[in-house]
Amino acid sequence: MSNLEIIHAYRKLLRAALRAVQFSQPSRSTVTAALREGFRDTRAAGGAGFDAERVRRTVWFLNAAAQRRGLEHRILKNLCRVRWERAREASKTPWRVTVREEQLRKEGKRKARDPDVISGTQYQHYDLTIAMLNDTMGLCLR
């Protein structure tokens, strides 16, 4: 797989995705970040994860999402929203709150929180659903 083909695929996907989200924020930055992350993984694997047919079908999917507000548009809208929420959750707790809780715990004024059993599993079903959608339709959505 040549670098030129990977660059062309990236540009086609980026153009189609930006048209599909109508260049709106925060969807634009979410789509761009997801696309960059996906292509960084492909480059690290030396192009082994790159499939031109999947890229072509994904561009069709994104063009359909841009043309009308149907199922494709709603799927893309929800993908962007969940990805944005995940990124927001990761940076939700400010460092000052974390430091203050540690100080209170050391002083004995506050007990340590019990580890939450569900905290690491809230997106497992969602990720499996997206993986199955990609497999059945031959797409490469993230």
Side-chain angles (χ1 to χ4, degrees):
M1 192 60 41
S2 69
N3 277 344
L4 188 61
E5 290 175 0
I6 293 174
I7 290 171
H8 285 299
Y10 176 82
R11 288 179 181 166
K12 285 179 186 177
L13 283 169
L14 182 62
R15 268 188 247 118
L18 291 177
R19 268 189 246 117
V21 297
Q22 299 173 354
F23 297 92
S24 66
Q25 280 290 16
S27 296
R28 178 176 58 202
S29 58
T30 304
V31 164
T32 306
L35 197 58
R36 284 180 184 162
E37 181 183 321
F39 273 86
R40 282 186 187 124
D41 294 345
T42 303
R43 282 224 167 144
F50 182 76
D51 185 7
E53 181 62 26
R54 281 184 176 263
V55 169
R56 189 168 57 93
R57 288 183 183 180
T58 305
V59 169
W60 286 347
F61 181 86
L62 293 172
N63 286 336
Q67 288 174 0
R68 60 184 180 279
R69 296 188 68 186
L71 183 65
E72 296 90 354
H73 180 77
R74 285 181 288 178
I75 289 172
L76 183 64
K77 183 177 171 182
N78 287 327
L79 283 171
C80 290
R81 177 64 188 253
V82 169
R83 189 158 182 102
W84 181 75
E85 289 288 342
R86 275 180 152 176
R88 199 171 130 230
E89 277 180 22
S91 64
K92 203 171 198 176
T93 307
W95 64 271
R96 290 185 199 127
V97 173
T98 307
V99 170
R100 182 67 181 148
E101 284 181 359
E102 288 294 322
Q103 287 175 348
L104 290 174
R105 248 184 255 124
K106 286 180 183 177
E107 295 171 4
K109 294 180 180 177
R110 185 174 287 175
K111 293 182 182 178
R113 294 183 183 173
D114 294 330
D116 191 9
V117 179
I118 300 174
S119 67
T121 63
Q122 64 263 35
Y123 290 112
Q124 280 182 349
H125 189 267
Y126 171 80
D127 291 334
L128 290 173
T129 304
I130 298 302
M132 290 302 294
L133 178 70
N134 286 336
D135 289 342
T136 57
M137 293 183 68
L139 301 174
C140 50
L141 298 174
R142 285 186 167 234

